[in-house]
Amino acid sequence: MQGLSINLSQQQRLSPQQIQLIKLLQIPTAELAARIEAELEENPALEEGISEERLEEMEDRETVDDLANDEMAIDDYLQDDYAGYKMAGDSYDPNEEMRERPMPTVPSAEEFLLMQIGFVITNERERIIAEQLIGSLEDDGYLRRNIESIVNDLAFTVGFETDYQEVERVLLQVQQLDPAGIGARDLQECLSIQLHRKHFADEHALQVAIRLIDQYFDEFSKKHYSQLQQKLGVDEALLKQAINIITHLNPKPGGSEAGEVAPFLQPDFIVSQSDGKLDIKLNGKNAPELRVSKSFQEMLQTYSKGDKQQKEVKEAVTFIKHKLDSASWFIQAIQQRQGTLLKTMESIVGQQYDFFLTGDESKLKPMRMKEIAEVIEMDISTVSRVVSAKSVQTDFGMYPLKYFFSEGITHESGEDFSTREVKNILRDLIAGESAGHAYSDEELEGLLAEKGFVVKRRTVAKYREQLGIPVARLRRKME
């Protein structure tokens, strides 16, 4: 017997504006300019610059927090509330004096990759493998040495035992480094890595380009375009657009050209101290001023006075309103990105204040993303996106934000220590071994206990492996 029934259920759905904010949170400062440039090209209602009448109002402007506003009335578009998005925390000023900033030296391509390891590698063991992989790259950025040979190299040169699966897992992390495509084993993989990391205004064309490389590389390389059209189910224009995206990729990400200069790592935050106090700033160098186009606002006003019953007028008003909405939402998303980043960094500095003041690693406290999320009253996933691929410039060097997060171990005195500090103690203990005797994990467990750290043997073994230190038997052989 058929019947009708009503069921209530709750579903959480993100609005396009919230999705846009999430994506912007993940973008580091070095890539922000390219993302903004793409939006400027896509939306004519968005402009770079700020109107003169708004320059004096920038300090007092209220920040817009709600990305899910209902459709704005026409009059709302005629107000210049989104003239710019620069915040007080932004640090870049073209007129700022630079005398206190040291001149950077230009790193080599290999040094540039090694500098980035901390952004994607979480432990010492993976770092050793990553350094071996980077050292095995050829001048054009490809890894043509097979993984089995890398495993053997590590075993014979540094007595480091690993396997194919672990090296391949670390290789995937190395392939996240810049420039995109580095560490690829062939041209197909190189192009695929770049496409999966690419931002493009026409998402449909980008997805077609990804399928061309990932699924139909053989047909693509042989230029069987008619077959590709049928298999992809696309017209000639879309196929050409996808091919155009691919032809603008870099087939040699390592840059084998003589005299080519590796790009600089740009910090997302700058923390400096003055008179014993810390100053936290966002690096706004790659974030130009944005505003909603005045001409588009005036165009909407003109069309709104016309006969709205006419199809052409109605379509024009809809198009203009859509572009103005998109421009306003994008500026709001940038505002929220900057505000969220600064709020998160302030919380991190608050937790690790002694380290940022002294640069002493022993001052680092155990800290989890959940704790920061509670302090700033945001979801832990938001903190994770803020921390991802971000760095901070301090008076003691540049650090990835992930560096400041670690679990804690309680000392017998009741004080909490970061696991990083415990690993440093473990490394010192092993470094002090006599030539004729290497400590077993059980002995290391006892030595740590003497120092007040109650750590299980299996945990000692895990820390030792993360430090890339082999077992006692292999250390004796190395002696």
Side-chain angles (χ1 to χ4, degrees), residues 6-76:
I6 299 176
N7 294 320
L8 294 177
S9 63
Q10 288 185 334
Q11 290 184 334
Q12 185 178 10
R13 293 187 178 181
L14 296 177
S15 68
Q17 293 75 46
Q18 290 171 320
I19 294 172
Q20 185 178 61
L21 174 59
I22 288 172
K23 290 181 178 180
L24 286 173
L25 281 175
Q26 297 177 171
I27 297 176
T29 296
E31 298 179 14
L32 183 59
R35 177 65 185 88
I36 292 175
E37 184 63 30
E39 192 70 21
L40 285 168
E41 292 179 3
E42 172 70 15
N43 190 351
L46 186 68
E47 293 181 344
E48 185 174 342
I50 180 169
S51 59
E52 294 182 5
E53 61 269 26
R54 293 296 294 168
L55 283 173
E56 296 180 358
E57 300 175 17
M58 289 294 292
E59 295 292 332
D60 301 321
R61 187 182 68 249
E62 290 185 358
T63 301
V64 179
D65 292 322
D66 186 6
L67 284 181
N69 289 332
D70 292 332
E71 184 179 3
M72 295 180 179
I74 289 178
D75 290 343
D76 293 334

Side-chain angles (χ1 to χ4, degrees), residues 390-430:
K390 306 292 192 312
S391 63
V392 55
Q393 178 68 54
T394 73
D395 293 337
F396 317 102
M398 191 185 302
Y399 296 87
L401 291 195
K402 287 184 178 179
Y403 176 80
F404 303 105
F405 292 89
S406 65
E407 297 293 332
I409 289 180
T410 302
H411 191 267
E412 63 180 12
S413 64
E415 185 179 358
D416 287 335
F417 282 81
S418 166
T419 54
R420 185 176 285 107
E421 177 65 14
V422 178
K423 289 178 185 178
N424 288 337
I425 295 172
L426 182 62
R427 183 191 286 112
D428 292 341
L429 287 172
I430 294 175

Side-chain angles (χ1 to χ4, degrees), residues 173-386:
Q173 294 177 288
V174 170
Q175 290 175 349
Q176 297 176 32
L177 304 180
D178 290 325
I182 205 77
R185 286 162 283 189
D186 53 42
L187 179 60
Q188 181 181 10
E189 189 175 40
C190 177
L191 299 178
S192 179
I193 292 170
Q194 294 180 60
L195 286 172
H196 282 281
R197 289 174 56 179
K198 193 173 182 62
H199 297 287
F200 195 71
D202 191 334
E203 188 69 23
H204 192 191
L206 178 60
Q207 292 304 316
V208 172
I210 291 173
R211 290 184 64 194
L212 275 173
I213 297 303
D214 289 353
Q215 300 176 23
Y216 304 110
F217 184 75
D218 187 51
E219 292 90 334
F220 170 75
S221 60
K222 294 177 181 178
K223 300 182 179 181
H224 294 166
Y225 298 141
S226 58
Q227 293 181 22
L228 289 171
Q229 270 187 251
Q230 292 180 345
K231 290 183 178 181
L232 293 168
V234 299
D235 57 28
E236 184 178 351
L238 184 56
L239 182 63
K240 285 183 178 180
Q241 195 173 357
I243 292 173
N244 183 59
I245 294 174
I246 295 171
T247 55
H248 283 80
L249 300 176
N250 183 7
K252 295 183 178 180
S256 58
E257 301 293 331
E260 188 165 2
V261 177
F264 291 113
L265 276 178
Q266 295 188 26
D268 300 271
F269 306 91
I270 299 172
V271 177
S272 57
Q273 59 172 306
S274 176
D275 299 327
K277 295 182 179 180
L278 295 176
D279 181 36
I280 307 168
K281 293 181 180 179
L282 269 174
N283 184 0
K285 190 171 183 179
N286 285 350
E289 300 281 1
L290 296 177
R291 66 185 178 197
V292 176
S293 171
K294 202 73 174 179
S295 61
F296 253 67
Q297 293 175 351
E298 293 170 353
M299 195 184 304
L300 178 63
Q301 189 178 33
T302 300
Y303 273 99
S304 65
K305 294 178 181 178
D307 185 359
K308 297 181 181 179
Q309 299 303 316
Q310 292 184 11
K311 181 180 179 181
E312 294 78 4
V313 173
K314 188 175 181 180
E315 289 178 349
V317 170
T318 301
F319 173 79
I320 296 171
K321 286 177 67 177
H322 171 70
K323 291 301 181 183
L324 288 170
D325 268 334
S326 297
S328 296
W329 287 331
F330 186 76
I331 292 173
Q332 291 175 48
I334 292 289
Q335 286 179 331
Q336 283 206 350
R337 175 192 185 272
Q338 307 295 69
T340 302
L341 261 62
L342 188 59
K343 190 175 183 180
T344 304
M345 190 68 228
E346 287 173 344
S347 179
I348 292 173
V349 172
Q351 296 285 338
Q352 306 288 6
Y353 196 88
D354 291 339
F355 170 81
F356 284 98
L357 207 58
T358 64
D360 185 353
E361 277 194 6
S362 65
K363 302 290 186 182
L364 283 172
K365 300 177 181 178
M367 186 175 71
R368 295 178 297 171
M369 291 186 187
K370 182 181 179 181
E371 296 170 8
I372 299 299
E374 291 173 352
V375 171
I376 65 176
E377 298 180 342
M378 291 185 178
D379 191 84
I380 189 172
S381 62
T382 300
V383 176
S384 177
R385 291 185 178 97
V386 170

Side-chain angles (χ1 to χ4, degrees), residues 2 8 53 87 135 158 200 209 242 329 453 474:
Q2 293 183 340
L8 294 177
E53 61 269 26
M87 302 182 62
V158 294
F200 195 71
W329 287 331
F453 297 99
L474 292 177

